[in-house]
Amino acid sequence: MNEILSATGQGQTVSETVYRSLKMDILSGVIPSGSALLTRDLLARYDCGISPLREALARLVGEQFLEATSHRGVKVPQPSISDVEDVYRIRIALEREALALALTHGDDEWEGEIIATCHRMEKATLPDHVADQPTSIIEWEIRHRAFHHSLIKAAPSPRLLKLIDQMVDQTERYRALRLTGMDRAKIQGDVAAEHRKLMELVLARDPASLDFLSQHLDRTRVAVISILSER
Amino acid sequence: MNEILSATGQGQTVSETVYRSLKMDILSGVIPSGSALLTRDLLARYDCGISPLREALARLVGEQFLEATSHRGVKVPQPSISDVEDVYRIRIALEREALALALTHGDDEWEGEIIATCHRMEKATLPDHVADQPTSIIEWEIRHRAFHHSLIKAAPSPRLLKLIDQMVDQTERYRALRLTGMDRAKIQGDVAAEHRKLMELVLARDPASLDFLSQHLDRTRVAVISILSER
DNA sequence: ATCGTCAATAGTTTGGAAAATATTTGTATA
DNA sequence: TATACAAATATTTTCCAAACTATTGACGAT
């Protein structure tokens, strides 16, 4: 027990730690979709008692990262086309709203953050040999997410931002799918141009940025679905 | 324990019962906003063990009906104007989306349900002396919610409908405020007319129903905020 | 051979006790 | 008198064992 606490580093609770680990394992695909999670396996895997595990499972079920059927345990939901559409639809509706708010309320610091995160994202597309720390495509993904987050960060709506975060988390499950056929060349080309354009529109507080963002997200949706339906 | 199970009536679990009771007590305002909830008081109040109580608390924190700080328990969040705006903003964005989907996918059964729930809502505004069961303003509220739900029910987006339900739950906390100065006369008058109009637009699959719904919800938002700011 | 019943098994839920953490109180010192 | 430190107290968090419930498979009757 002391080991667990020291392992977490901070004064986090055990259930919080288990929650994070389990969520990461689900999103990263370590636990394959459709597989049922056996209680005793989970207890061994995360080395904790029943109570924190149950609390973590309850939270994940509430956030729809897991499905629970009475007396038959929990399982990772199978990805479906209709679910992808559902998630992206909500995400687009909410991000539109958030961006509209950000355009109204954003200040200089907000603008600076956008430029900074965009810069970091573009840097992650450069060849590795110059950088001290090689940047992988995963690293680009992380910075990509940070960029999108920075656009709407100025929206004075904590609930809205939190919901968007949840929806983005949901799409994380399809990360591998999204990145299929998306090599460094493509990121340096089309995608980079699109992000540049988006940033310019946002910094200019152009209302057209709303539609542009919607279309940008919708293109991702279409890509994910087309890959998903080829199976 | 047997007493508890028999008291619940059904084969519900204790944690489920505690969850419902606690949520009701929060929404109905029995537990005042801003007050911290002490574990031992709650144990006594709901007459249960620690485990089911913790599970109920965890769920309510997840749904943002309670705020939790590590090792300092949970408390009922203070209502604020900005939070009301936040909730209504999200609700409007999501219900617009859902209604648009419902207009496309709704079938005859959906139309029938709308007419039925509207009828029931209007019936609840009639004088009591004719009805066997007197209908209170609370009953109208319940049917009002059912009516609004019926409008978007045909949207093939389980996640969207669930999120909307959560937002509507959040506005339940302001029910008392909403109903202030809203007597039977008003419900029979302006509000009824507005609902009728909304229903007609929806049944005609008129795209204008989207804006009309937005405005309808926004009027409620304004009303709640004006009452809230007068204090 | 099929259906229904019953035991065996796996999984869930609960209560209480112990551990960990935060807060308050009390005391000594400057 | 004020401040820092330490003990005491209050509260939350975790663990585990026991009670409970549903599902599965086997057995016997029709």
Side-chain angles (χ1 to χ4, degrees):
Chain A
M1 206 217 326
N2 277 328
E3 314 96 61
I4 293 176
L5 281 180
S6 63
T8 63
Q10 287 95 302
Q12 296 270 326
T13 62
V14 175
S15 74
E16 184 74 17
T17 309
V18 174
Y19 167 78
R20 283 184 208 278
S21 311
L22 193 47
K23 187 169 166 182
M24 251 188 51
D25 289 346
I26 295 168
L27 293 184
S28 69
V30 172
I31 301 172
S33 309
S35 65
L37 279 64
L38 269 62
T39 306
R40 60 171 180 278
D41 293 348
L42 294 174
L43 289 176
R45 178 190 254 268
Y46 300 105
D47 188 31
C48 67
I50 291 180
S51 307
L53 178 66
R54 276 189 69 76
E55 204 162 307
L57 290 176
R59 282 180 67 181
L60 290 166
V61 169
E63 293 171 22
Q64 300 192 271
F65 290 112
L66 289 174
E67 285 175 350
T69 36
S70 182
H71 290 276
R72 267 197 274 176
V74 296
K75 64 172 202 170
V76 182
Q78 204 88 35
S80 75
I81 289 176
S82 68
D83 189 59
V84 173
E85 294 201 323
D86 207 350
V87 171
Y88 272 100
R89 178 159 40 226
I90 295 168
R91 191 180 158 187
I92 289 170
L94 293 178
E95 287 212 27
R96 259 187 91 93
E97 193 69 29
L99 184 56
L101 286 169
L103 292 183
T104 308
H105 294 89
D107 55 9
D108 297 345
E109 195 181 309
W110 167 68
E111 292 181 3
E113 266 297 294
I114 291 173
I115 294 169
T117 54
C118 184
H119 174 77
R120 286 188 210 108
M121 177 174 66
E122 286 174 343
K123 265 300 178 76
T125 67
L126 294 175
D128 291 339
H129 63 275
V130 281
D132 291 348
Q133 301 170 356
T135 50
S136 65
I137 199 153
I138 300 293
E139 181 62 26
W140 176 81
E141 252 289 310
I142 293 171
R143 300 185 183 191
H144 177 221
R145 181 168 175 170
F147 169 68
H148 273 278
H149 183 78
S150 76
L151 296 177
I152 57 174
K153 199 181 181 184
S157 284
R159 282 179 192 268
L160 187 54
L161 294 180
K162 190 174 173 182
L163 279 181
I164 290 170
D165 229 50
Q166 276 181 27
M167 289 305 121
V168 175
D169 268 346
Q170 291 290 344
T171 62
E172 285 293 298
R173 286 179 58 206
Y174 307 108
R175 177 159 60 187
L177 248 50
R178 277 206 315 281
L179 297 180
T180 299
M182 207 189 201
D183 55 5
R184 183 146 290 172
K186 193 167 174 65
I187 290 179
Q188 285 176 318
D190 303 350
V191 177
E194 205 168 304
H195 283 134
R196 275 251 155 223
K197 179 83 186 295
L198 177 58
M199 181 176 76
E200 281 162 20
L201 286 173
V202 169
L203 290 180
R205 319 259 171 159
D206 190 330
S209 56
L210 300 186
D211 283 336
F212 196 82
L213 176 63
S214 298
Q215 286 156 24
H216 174 69
L217 292 174
D218 206 56
R219 267 189 285 274
T220 313
R221 177 186 69 82
V222 170
V224 170
I225 286 176
S226 77
I227 296 171
L228 201 62
S229 59
E230 280 172 15
R231 306 197 299 183
Chain B
M1 208 224 321
N2 276 329
E3 314 97 59
I4 293 176
L5 281 181
S6 62
T8 63
Q10 287 94 298
Q12 296 272 325
T13 63
V14 176
S15 75
E16 184 73 17
T17 309
V18 174
Y19 167 78
R20 283 185 208 279
S21 310
L22 193 48
K23 186 169 167 182
M24 251 187 52
D25 289 345
I26 294 168
L27 293 183
S28 69
V30 173
I31 300 172
S33 308
S35 64
L37 279 62
L38 269 63
T39 307
R40 58 184 159 78
D41 293 347
L42 294 173
L43 288 176
R45 179 190 253 269
Y46 301 106
D47 188 32
C48 67
I50 290 181
S51 309
L53 178 66
R54 277 192 70 77
E55 198 161 315
L57 290 176
R59 281 180 67 182
L60 289 167
V61 169
E63 294 171 22
Q64 298 193 273
F65 291 113
L66 289 174
E67 287 174 350
T69 34
S70 181
H71 288 277
R72 267 195 276 177
V74 296
K75 66 172 199 171
V76 183
Q78 202 89 36
S80 74
I81 290 176
S82 68
D83 189 59
V84 173
E85 293 200 323
D86 207 351
V87 172
Y88 271 100
R89 179 160 37 227
I90 295 168
R91 192 179 157 187
I92 289 169
L94 294 178
E95 286 211 26
R96 259 188 92 93
E97 193 69 29
L99 184 56
L101 286 168
L103 292 184
T104 309
H105 294 89
D107 55 10
D108 298 345
E109 195 181 309
W110 168 69
E111 293 182 2
E113 265 298 294
I114 292 174
I115 294 169
T117 55
C118 184
H119 174 77
R120 285 188 211 110
M121 178 174 65
E122 287 174 343
K123 264 302 178 75
T125 66
L126 296 175
D128 291 337
H129 64 274
V130 282
D132 291 348
Q133 301 171 355
T135 51
S136 65
I137 198 154
I138 300 293
E139 180 62 28
W140 176 80
E141 252 289 312
I142 294 170
R143 299 185 185 190
H144 177 222
R145 181 169 176 171
F147 169 68
H148 272 278
H149 183 78
S150 77
L151 295 177
I152 58 174
K153 199 180 179 183
S157 283
R159 282 179 194 267
L160 187 55
L161 294 179
K162 189 176 172 183
L163 280 181
I164 290 170
D165 229 49
Q166 277 181 26
M167 290 303 121
V168 176
D169 266 347
Q170 291 289 344
T171 62
E172 286 292 298
R173 284 179 62 203
Y174 307 107
R175 177 160 60 188
L177 248 49
R178 277 206 315 280
L179 297 180
T180 299
M182 208 188 200
D183 55 4
R184 185 147 290 170
K186 194 167 172 66
I187 291 178
Q188 283 176 320
D190 303 349
V191 177
E194 205 168 304
H195 283 134
R196 275 253 154 223
K197 179 83 186 295
L198 177 58
M199 180 175 76
E200 281 161 19
L201 285 172
V202 169
L203 289 180
R205 321 259 171 158
D206 190 330
S209 55
L210 299 186
D211 283 334
F212 195 82
L213 175 63
S214 297
Q215 286 156 23
H216 174 69
L217 292 174
D218 205 56
R219 269 190 283 275
T220 313
R221 177 185 70 81
V222 171
V224 170
I225 285 176
S226 76
I227 296 172
L228 201 62
S229 59
E230 279 172 16
R231 305 197 299 185

